[in-house]
Amino acid sequence: MTLNTDWAVRWIKGSAAVVSEHRVELITLDREIGDGDHGENLDRGFSAVLLKLDDLPTDATPGDALKMVATTLISTVGGAAGPLYGTAYLKAAGAIAGQAELDGAAVVALLTAARDGVVLRGKAAPGDKTMVDAWSPAVDAAAEALAAGLDEAAILDAAATAAEAGARATEPLVARKGRASYLGERAIGHRDPGAQSSALLLRVAADAAAGA
Ligand code: ADP
Ligand code: MG
């Protein structure tokens, strides 16, 4: 399936749906090691994004759509996740600016720019128990899938699978960034909410590419 603006719109609509479906789960994860607002924050943000989809011009590129997501999340989400996701989508949009269709290299560039945006903004490294622990393995897996000659949908599937494993792998970690870092060893045994939401969003990107 071609990764064009229809794909980006399916990804965005699917993201709003998945964040709404997993709202309570994300709230619960954030209640365990944070302040319990992550699901609420993201649901509010993606509800606002959904409304803005109607304003996208008919000739919008995938990058234009992701840029709209970025600016909307930045103005509606707040907390740590708003600026982090906002920067991720903004950098991702920049990496594919002007392209009407994304090939495998563009998908890897999009994911890499998103991860780099989160790192630029939050200064977390892999293993710090943040959303970087989902994004970083996703980027690595996507680059490997591209090098192995897989198509765009398979690249996104590899990224989502790696992000899911990365989110699970935050459970035994002590947090070194964000609110969870105040808990020290008490964060052990809990999955990072931002890593979990990142894995959910990447799975939706892959599903949208597979036409699911
Ligand atoms: P807040 O912590 O302000 O309540 P959220 O609950 O919406 O914001 O988001 C928390 C998530 O943000 C964490 O689970 C983590 O994944 C992510 N996060 C927090 N700080 C950082 C950081 N410095 N770098 C990357 N991700 C971070
Ligand atoms: Mg929170």
Side-chain angles (χ1 to χ4, degrees), residues 56-101:
L56 267 188
T58 46
D59 61 350
T61 60
D64 294 333
L66 295 189
K67 191 168 177 196
M68 178 279 283
V69 175
T71 52
T72 309
L73 292 183
I74 288 170
S75 62
T76 57
V77 174
L84 287 164
Y85 271 127
T87 308
Y89 281 94
L90 199 62
K91 297 289 183 188
I96 57 168
Q99 299 179 40
E101 288 187 4

Side-chain angles (χ1 to χ4, degrees), residues 117-128:
V118 172
V119 171
L120 180 79
R121 186 84 208 185
K123 309 275 182 278
D128 283 352

Side-chain angles (χ1 to χ4, degrees), residues 87-142:
T87 308
Y89 281 94
L90 199 62
K91 297 289 183 188
I96 57 168
Q99 299 179 40
E101 288 187 4
L102 311 183
D103 60 11
V107 171
V108 172
L110 179 167
L111 295 172
T112 304
R115 189 270 314 271
D116 291 351
V118 172
V119 171
L120 180 79
R121 186 84 208 185
K123 309 275 182 278
D128 283 352
K129 197 176 180 111
T130 71
M131 60 174 73
V132 172
D133 291 324
W135 283 99
S136 255
V139 168
D140 294 346

Side-chain angles (χ1 to χ4, degrees), residues 176-202:
R176 286 190 287 255
K177 290 280 187 234
R179 285 180 199 281
S181 65
Y182 310 150
L183 293 179
E185 304 220 324
R186 278 181 292 146
I188 292 174
H190 301 284
R191 189 175 303 192
D192 179 65
Q196 181 67 7
S197 62
S198 298
L200 291 170
L201 295 173
L202 286 169

